[in-house]
Amino acid sequence: MNRVFGPVYSRRLNKSLGIDLVPFKTCTQDCIYCQLGPTTCKSLERISFYNVEDIIIELEQKLKGVSPDFITLAGSGEPTLCKDIGKLISNIKKTTSIPVAVLTNGLLFFQPDVRADLLQADVVCPSLDAGNEYTFQRVNKPDPAIDFETFLNGLIQFRHEYYGKIWLEVLLIRGITDTMEEIIQIAQCSAQINPDRIHLNTVTRPPSDPALSGLTLSELEEFVSLFTPTAEVIAEYPTLPETSTSQKEIQPEDILAVLQRHPCSLSELSFALDVSEGLIKPLIKELIHQQKVEVFDVRGRELFRFVNK
Ligand code: SF4
């Protein structure tokens, strides 16, 4: 079934084993900075996409070979669109003591069933990229049924009901959300949500809109004290993943399974697949030739991304 992927090094969660709960680019939003490209299925409808028992079997198999810091519900779209996310978290908790994190855009938090489904997660990481309706529509391009006030109130309500950790991610974009006025509005909304941590991020991976660019680290650092609690700038990686020297056999599909959830550099692929860079290189070259993978240069760093055909 291949819904479990990684481990990948994420900037927030360190070594994280991912579970992808929705088909590629099935999302409630179409963020202009999305590293997976444009949303192909924008929807608010919650669906049972995959069998929970099958996912748990796959997870148990994977956990025999790795010890991640988190099991992360994320991947190639919005995980709260999976109707079974609550049941899945509950079953993961019966399987392992590894903490469960959920990466979400938070758009569906206005729905009580979505908030209830996430109560058992250890960490929930929603996004807040705008502090007003105009910028929200411009940056996140949500399903038209949801306005900014509904979205923000959903996040505030979740804070009242949830006793786990909320780590809010704020992603700033050059020329759009890099002015003091925009950032102060975001900080004011963030204060209403009252998260445990705030992670300040910018465009560092190939965005859906190729014209976008990010802020420098020093620019981000200028804004951290505007937030309560003080924001943390999340660098690209807390530590660089160690590449593997394993010579085990892999297939092109193994590489695609990782890139479908997360654009990666060669070293990240080597880490995620536990196979040497030398074995990955010719397969990547062939996948690029077949136009199944594209290559980007982001600030001098070569990243590979899945091409959704
Ligand atoms: S960044 Fe996340 S929320 Fe935004 S379009 Fe991509 S998958 Fe959806």
Side-chain angles (χ1 to χ4, degrees):
M1 189 163 72
N2 214 1
R3 302 318 304 169
V4 181
F5 64 97
V8 293
Y9 259 92
S10 85
R11 289 161 289 181
R12 286 171 283 187
L13 301 166
N14 214 25
K15 188 178 177 184
S16 161
L17 195 60
I19 303 182
D20 190 0
L21 299 183
V22 297
F24 189 75
K25 278 316 308 257
T26 299
C27 193
T28 52
Q29 298 183 165
D30 186 13
C31 305
I32 54 175
Y33 62 78
C34 186
Q35 60 182 352
L36 300 170
T39 295
T40 44
C41 177
K42 196 196 277 186
S43 170
L44 295 181
E45 187 186 2
R46 304 187 75 203
I47 294 176
S48 295
F49 294 104
Y50 308 106
N51 183 291
V52 169
E53 286 73 28
D54 289 346
I55 294 176
I56 293 293
I57 291 169
E58 204 186 326
L59 177 66
E60 285 172 338
Q61 286 298 323
K62 196 85 183 193
L63 286 175
K64 286 178 184 165
V66 290
S67 331
D69 299 304
F70 282 94
I71 292 170
T72 306
L73 310 189
S76 54
E78 171 51 40
T80 59
L81 280 173
C82 170
K83 207 175 176 180
D84 302 315
I85 191 169
K87 180 179 171 188
L88 180 68
I89 294 171
S90 174
N91 285 9
I92 294 171
K93 291 278 170 195
K94 289 176 195 156
T95 305
T96 172
S97 59
I98 297 168
V100 175
V102 181
L103 305 188
T104 170
N105 61 32
L107 194 76
L108 291 180
F109 282 21
F110 73 94
Q111 294 185 190
D113 57 332
V114 173
R115 299 196 301 271
D117 278 349
L118 300 188
L119 293 182
Q120 281 196 71
D122 298 280
V123 180
V124 174
C125 304
S127 295
L128 180 74
D129 306 317
N132 59 70
E133 183 73 48
Y134 174 78
T135 309
F136 178 54
Q137 296 295 337
R138 184 177 178 195
V139 171
N140 298 116
K141 296 196 278 179
D143 183 283
I146 312 299
D147 62 13
F148 183 68
E149 192 181 351
T150 305
F151 161 65
L152 182 61
N153 285 339
L155 287 171
I156 295 168
Q157 187 60 34
F158 182 65
R159 170 78 291 178
H160 291 146
E161 298 168 5
Y162 175 63
Y163 295 107
K165 302 290 184 199
I166 296 181
W167 296 353
L168 190 71
E169 178 170 16
V170 176
L171 185 141
L172 301 179
I173 303 171
R174 182 172 300 287
I176 299 179
T177 44
D178 59 348
T179 65
M180 196 53 90
E181 186 187 356
E182 289 282 349
I183 295 167
I184 286 175
Q185 285 183 358
I186 296 172
Q188 286 170 342
C189 295
S190 164
Q192 293 181 64
I193 299 165
N194 191 21
D196 298 280
R197 294 169 78 171
I198 298 170
H199 290 150
L200 211 51
N201 198 3
T202 191
V203 178
T204 57
R205 289 182 181 262
S208 180
D209 178 347
L212 298 183
S213 62
L215 283 64
T216 63
L217 284 182
S218 58
E219 285 172 324
L220 287 177
E221 274 158 5
E222 284 176 27
F223 300 127
V224 296
S225 59
L226 296 175
F227 291 85
T228 308
T230 300
E232 305 157 50
V233 175
I234 46 174
E236 184 60 30
Y237 287 103
T239 51
L240 279 176
E242 285 175 24
T243 56
S244 172
T245 54
S246 166
Q247 298 296 310
K248 73 178 183 190
E249 195 180 328
I250 57 160
Q251 303 300 322
E253 290 70 33
D254 300 323
I255 295 174
L256 291 176
V258 175
L259 295 183
Q260 200 169 347
R261 283 71 185 230
H262 197 68
C264 286
S265 66
L266 190 61
S267 63
E268 289 161 5
L269 276 172
S270 169
F271 174 80
L273 295 165
D274 187 22
V275 66
S276 75
E277 293 186 8
L279 284 183
I280 296 172
K281 273 183 190 168
L283 296 176
I284 275 280
K285 203 172 164 189
E286 183 57 27
L287 288 169
I288 293 169
H289 179 68
Q290 294 170 359
Q291 299 182 333
K292 291 179 178 171
V293 166
E294 54 192 351
V295 59
F296 284 83
D297 183 290
V298 182
R299 294 181 181 170
R301 195 161 161 257
E302 193 176 60
L303 291 173
F304 303 105
R305 183 166 83 176
F306 176 76
V307 176
N308 186 27
K309 287 188 179 173

